[in-house]
Amino acid sequence: MNILLLEWDSFAHEYMIEEFRKADNRVDIFPWPFGQENMRENEALCSKLSKILKEKKYDFVFSFNFFPVAAKACNNCRIKYAAWIYDTPFLLLYSKYTMLDTNYIFFFDKSLFYDFKKHGVHNAFYLPMAAPVDCYDSIKKEDMDGERYGADISFVGSTYNEERQDFFQYINGVNKYTAGYLQGIMKMQGEVYGEFILEGLLTDNILHELQRVCPIRKGEDEWETEAWIYANYFLARKLTGEQRVEQLELLGKKHFVKLYTSERKLEIPNVINCGPVDYMEEMPRVFKNSKINLNMTLRSIHTGIPLRAMDIMGSGGFLLTNYQEDFLEYFEPGIDYVFYSSREELIELTDYYLIHEDERQEIAYNGYCKVKSGHTYKDRVEFLLGQMKEL
């Protein structure tokens, strides 16, 4: 098959290109200006992509995440467009162009998959994330810097406290009642794992006040609700950041904890901020050297298995994660990974597994074997190609 891949600054596109080609497909690359140009209505970009699709016969176009302008161009040329979603929330998904019959959309979050099936996306599929296990296997212990990457407990990710990421700053001007209400529902959500309740708790009065201080202006092609945007983009990120900082600080009181993040100036008591790590080269070294690798899922990922979790297990690291429903479809808790459902349980489990090394190593090995045997990019490409050939 001939595939045109829209290349932007996404994780793992190198692995997809490699596996597409290993499966005897020709892959051409189209540099995709995500973050630089309008991805909804952009006639110049649409025409540029359409021209390429007309000049050469492609079986389908592929991208990580979904771009309305690409969907429109593919539909104009009657070419299939395969989009694998690995971010949520992702506003560009909520477009009238999502409904085009040339789209084939693969969702890593099962609840998101069900939502879009319900809204009329016929060619929708559930496809969890993956890990490049063979690449991680090539990283040997003798090539690692234990001082740089070793810790009792580590977390790789953001706390959303950088100015450009702290979306909550835009709604600081709400009245006192609304501010108290928002803090209250976030506290409630913070105690609940396995159910996203924030959106349903945003009343008309609260939404009106939010619109007053931070109005949302949607494009003609958008169909997401205001409640969805405020809950998933503002409140979920704020809550996630606060919980990550709080939980890392709690763990740092008793254990050797490292944080790897682009937020270089962030200071958390008793936690070593090691700065960012390169995704392909350094991140797996962290996972291999840390006794416990934390996954604290962004709250707008309602049921899905985050890419971080797959990478931890695929590296052979021990995974301790908050409860996420989709894990249960493929992995066995206490056997392949461990999950917690409360702050207290997080502390108890870290205390336990740091002193029960044999159990910890066995679980890490089981998780690694499970990912290696069925959750690699080769496995995902086989599934995706199978769907594209059938439909």
Side-chain angles (χ1 to χ4, degrees):
M1 300 177 79
N2 289 329
I3 303 167
L4 182 65
L5 186 140
L6 307 183
E7 185 179 51
W8 56 280
D9 188 22
S10 61
F11 294 125
H13 64 267
E14 298 94 338
Y15 305 128
M16 291 298 288
I17 294 169
E18 180 182 4
E19 294 301 337
F20 277 141
R21 288 174 174 163
K22 282 183 178 178
D24 294 326
N25 301 286
R26 178 188 175 93
V27 182
D28 292 338
I29 307 300
F30 183 93
W32 193 243
F34 179 44
Q36 305 167 37
E37 296 190 32
N38 185 346
M39 291 288 119
R40 289 191 182 276
E41 300 290 351
N42 188 329
E43 286 303 319
L45 183 58
C46 184
S47 297
K48 185 177 181 180
L49 180 56
S50 296
K51 181 181 179 182
I52 291 174
L53 295 177
K54 290 174 182 176
E55 289 175 348
K56 183 175 180 180
K57 179 177 174 54
Y58 288 101
D59 293 284
F60 67 91
V61 174
F62 173 84
S63 72
F64 276 115
N65 287 337
F66 176 86
F67 303 103
V69 65
K72 183 179 179 181
C74 289
N75 187 256
N76 290 344
C77 300
R78 302 309 296 170
I79 299 292
K80 297 176 181 179
Y81 175 37
W84 189 6
I85 310 304
Y86 75 0
D87 277 330
T88 182
F90 191 69
L91 270 175
L92 292 173
L93 257 178
Y94 294 81
S95 163
K96 65 183 180 183
Y97 296 116
T98 310
M99 309 300 173
L100 296 172
D101 64 1
T102 44
N103 293 333
Y104 299 81
I105 305 180
F106 300 81
F107 298 89
F108 85 103
D109 183 304
K110 181 162 278 191
S111 67
L112 198 64
F113 159 72
Y114 284 135
D115 283 345
F116 276 78
K117 287 286 284 186
K118 181 179 66 177
H119 279 95
V121 178
H122 299 294
N123 299 325
F125 310 89
Y126 172 53
L127 189 64
M129 296 313 301
V133 179
D134 288 346
C135 292
Y136 294 160
D137 283 349
S138 68
I139 300 174
K140 305 302 181 184
K141 284 192 174 181
E142 54 267 26
D143 299 326
M144 300 183 203
D145 180 352
E147 184 175 344
R148 161 71 171 153
Y149 305 116
D152 287 342
I153 302 167
S154 70
F155 176 71
V156 179
S158 175
T159 64
Y160 305 104
N161 282 311
E162 291 183 337
E163 184 176 347
R164 65 182 176 82
Q165 294 180 323
D166 188 5
F167 295 95
F168 210 71
Q169 66 180 310
Y170 299 114
I171 55 177
N172 278 340
V174 295
N175 59 40
K176 290 184 179 180
Y177 174 82
T178 300
Y181 187 91
L182 295 178
Q183 290 296 335
I185 64 174
M186 284 196 297
K187 186 174 181 180
M188 290 172 60
Q189 180 68 82
E191 300 298 323
V192 177
Y193 291 87
E195 189 73 28
F196 188 72
I197 62 175
L198 288 174
E199 185 178 352
L201 293 173
L202 292 176
T203 65
D204 289 342
N205 288 339
I206 297 297
L207 289 170
H208 180 76
E209 176 65 6
L210 289 171
Q211 278 281 29
R212 182 184 69 81
V213 300
C214 183
I216 293 171
R217 297 179 179 87
K218 296 189 292 186
E220 292 183 3
D221 73 314
E222 295 183 61
W223 54 268
E224 75 282 5
T225 66
E226 294 171 0
W228 182 91
I229 295 174
Y230 287 122
N232 287 277
Y233 261 88
F234 291 82
L235 304 182
R237 287 177 186 255
K238 181 65 172 177
L239 172 60
T240 302
E242 289 179 349
Q243 284 199 310
R244 287 178 176 179
V245 170
E246 175 197 26
Q247 292 172 1
L248 288 170
E249 183 176 351
L250 283 172
L251 295 172
K253 290 178 179 179
K254 298 176 63 177
H255 305 295
F256 177 34
V257 179
K258 285 184 178 179
L259 168 66
Y260 296 86
T261 182
S262 60
E263 302 162 276
R264 295 178 181 272
K265 295 181 180 179
L266 178 66
E267 295 183 4
I268 303 175
N270 302 308
V271 174
I272 300 173
N273 185 338
C274 299
V277 285
D278 174 79
Y279 177 77
M280 297 181 69
E281 295 295 330
E282 291 188 288
M283 184 191 68
R285 288 173 163 80
V286 174
F287 297 155
K288 288 173 178 286
N289 278 275
S290 301
K291 294 179 181 178
I292 293 178
N293 293 283
L294 292 178
N295 172 59
M296 296 179 280
T297 307
L298 178 60
R299 284 303 190 113
S300 53
I301 301 175
H302 297 169
T303 66
I305 304 172
L307 179 60
R308 178 193 301 106
M310 286 292 194
D311 284 324
I312 290 170
M313 290 187 287
S315 299
F318 176 88
L319 170 63
L320 176 58
T321 177
N322 62 282
Y323 175 81
Q324 290 286 111
E325 184 178 334
D326 289 6
F327 274 101
L328 302 179
E329 185 161 338
Y330 300 102
F331 302 99
E332 191 172 349
I335 303 297
D336 305 315
Y337 76 108
V338 175
F339 75 78
Y340 64 91
S341 298
S342 68
R343 183 187 305 104
E344 294 73 23
E345 195 172 19
L346 169 63
I347 295 170
E348 291 172 4
L349 289 169
T350 52
D351 289 347
Y352 179 85
Y353 282 105
L354 283 174
I355 62 175
H356 290 81
E357 185 172 355
D358 290 346
E359 289 184 49
R360 189 182 72 239
Q361 291 181 349
E362 182 178 355
I363 290 171
Y365 179 72
N366 291 339
Y368 162 81
C369 291
K370 192 71 67 71
V371 172
K372 186 179 178 69
S373 64
H375 301 279
T376 65
Y377 285 97
K378 179 177 183 293
D379 298 310
R380 299 299 185 250
V381 163
E382 286 178 356
F383 178 86
L384 188 148
L385 289 176
Q387 300 306 315
M388 301 307 292
K389 290 175 181 177
E390 287 182 13
L391 298 168

